[in-house]
Amino acid sequence: MIAIEAVEHFIRESLSENTRKAYRSDLEHFLDWGGELPASGDLVASYLADHAEALAPSSLARRMATLSKVHQANAWPNPCRSEIVRATMRGIKRVKGTAQVQARPLLRKDLFTLLDALGDDPCGKRDRALLLIGWAGGFRSSELVGLDLADIEEVREGLVLHLRRSKTDQMGQGRKIGIPIGRARHCPVAALSVWLGVLSADNGPIFRPVDRHSNVQPDRLRSDAVSNILRKRLTNAGIDPDGYSGHSLRAGLITSAIKAGVPAYKVRAQTGHGSDQMLSRYLRDAGLFDCNAAGALL
């Protein structure tokens, strides 16, 4: 019995908590619609067709992946491999297209405009550090709020932040990100130092909620708080927040670095992308006006 419980424990831990939540949510959505397990190919195809208007192709593909996992885990015939399901999905993609809505990158100029508008209250000091560290490190929102005080290493050039786990590193091999001392009016190292002075803690999360009385709370900021903070601060700085999200910090560093001529391999070293192909959309967007064919003629 103990051995079986241990196996079940490690099977659960083979997936991140966010992935498990996504699987549960997808499965509940399918069952609430009227689905049943094990499912037939016809049933899954009907489910996809019924939700083709409401859900993006990427969301439907994720639900297919969930159903596929459930069937594989129970050694049931996998309906997602049937031709009727594959053909239905191909048709949905052809009708709706597969282009994903991308977060608008927060470029350096707008980042500094936003930072100039921040106050010096505890919330302003936290947000200055959060946005600068998130931008300079090219962090995903989950990575940024997941940082602990124990992950900070001070070096002569600035800081080394130890990223223990990330979306693409579920095994916890870890990665080091260098945050250099800034040469401009906004320095991520200095901003974090100021926030840590407000935080006055020896352990636990770096970025925490601040209540309306400027009291710092002990728990960790949620991932979606990064997007909310960014959009609020953009609005306060007179910048339209439409299209911006927590991913805009990461996209902003990548796009700004590429436009500044930083080699792709150095960008990948900061962001953790596995290949230049993963950066391809940023490379394409950043270079839209470089040696532009129309620009040479008009």
Side-chain angles (χ1 to χ4, degrees):
M1 179 64 69
I2 295 177
I4 293 175
E5 290 177 353
V7 169
E8 291 177 346
H9 167 72
F10 286 117
I11 288 175
R12 285 195 302 272
E13 292 303 315
S14 69
L15 301 171
S16 70
E17 178 58 28
N18 286 339
T19 300
R20 293 199 296 270
K21 286 180 180 178
Y23 282 168
R24 285 194 293 268
S25 175
D26 291 345
L27 188 57
E28 288 172 2
H29 189 267
F30 175 71
L31 295 174
D32 289 345
W33 168 79
E36 58 185 28
L37 297 175
S40 66
D42 288 346
L43 185 63
V44 174
S46 296
Y47 169 75
L48 295 174
D50 275 1
H51 294 90
E53 289 300 321
L55 299 176
S58 59
S59 296
L60 293 174
R62 195 190 76 184
R63 282 163 170 76
M64 272 184 59
T66 296
L67 290 172
S68 182
K69 284 280 188 182
V70 169
H71 283 78
Q72 289 174 3
N74 289 278
W76 296 329
N78 191 341
C80 299
R81 294 177 180 171
S82 65
E83 181 55 28
I84 187 171
V85 172
R86 292 174 181 267
T88 301
M89 198 64 207
R90 285 197 301 270
I92 291 172
K93 289 179 178 179
R94 283 178 62 87
V95 171
K96 298 193 67 176
T98 57
Q100 295 183 349
V101 177
Q102 297 179 11
R104 189 175 178 181
L106 181 66
L107 301 181
R108 180 180 181 274
K109 178 182 177 181
D110 290 332
L111 171 66
F112 277 32
T113 299
L114 178 161
L115 295 171
D116 287 340
L118 289 178
D120 285 326
D121 59 307
C123 197
K125 291 175 179 177
R126 181 206 60 191
D127 292 353
R128 182 176 288 106
L130 177 81
L131 298 172
L132 272 168
I133 292 294
W135 197 91
F139 288 112
R140 299 177 178 89
S141 295
S142 58
E143 297 169 348
L144 183 58
V145 300
L147 291 170
D148 288 331
L149 290 166
D151 299 328
I152 302 173
E153 178 186 352
E154 295 184 9
V155 295
R156 181 174 58 84
E157 299 88 346
L159 299 174
V160 174
L161 296 180
H162 294 258
L163 187 61
R164 309 294 178 181
R165 192 181 297 272
S166 69
K167 176 183 176 182
T168 56
D169 179 23
Q170 295 298 322
M171 296 298 108
Q173 292 181 350
R175 188 165 61 85
K176 296 179 180 180
I177 297 95
I179 306 295
I181 295 173
R183 295 173 295 176
R185 66 183 182 274
H186 292 294
C187 169
V189 176
L192 183 58
S193 177
V194 170
W195 165 242
L196 294 182
V198 174
L199 189 57
S200 188
D202 296 324
N203 53 59
I206 296 175
F207 297 112
R208 313 181 186 197
V210 178
D211 67 22
R212 58 193 181 93
H213 301 296
S214 295
N215 297 313
V216 180
Q217 304 302 301
D219 47 332
R220 189 183 305 275
L221 274 180
R222 291 164 41 117
S223 291
D224 56 2
V226 178
S227 179
N228 294 335
I229 289 169
L230 175 59
R231 291 172 62 85
K232 174 185 176 182
R233 296 305 187 180
L234 284 166
T235 300
N236 292 346
I239 300 173
D240 184 357
D242 188 45
Y244 288 99
S245 70
H247 192 74
S248 295
L249 299 176
R250 181 173 170 84
L253 171 75
I254 296 170
T255 305
S256 297
I258 292 171
K259 290 173 76 69
V262 177
Y265 79 93
K266 296 298 290 184
V267 177
R268 288 195 286 108
Q270 191 75 349
T271 63
H273 283 95
S275 67
D276 286 353
Q277 183 178 1
M278 300 296 291
L279 291 178
S280 59
R281 72 174 184 269
Y282 301 105
L283 288 164
R284 182 178 61 249
D285 292 348
L288 283 175
F289 294 98
D290 295 339
C291 299
N292 183 281
L297 303 172
L298 298 175

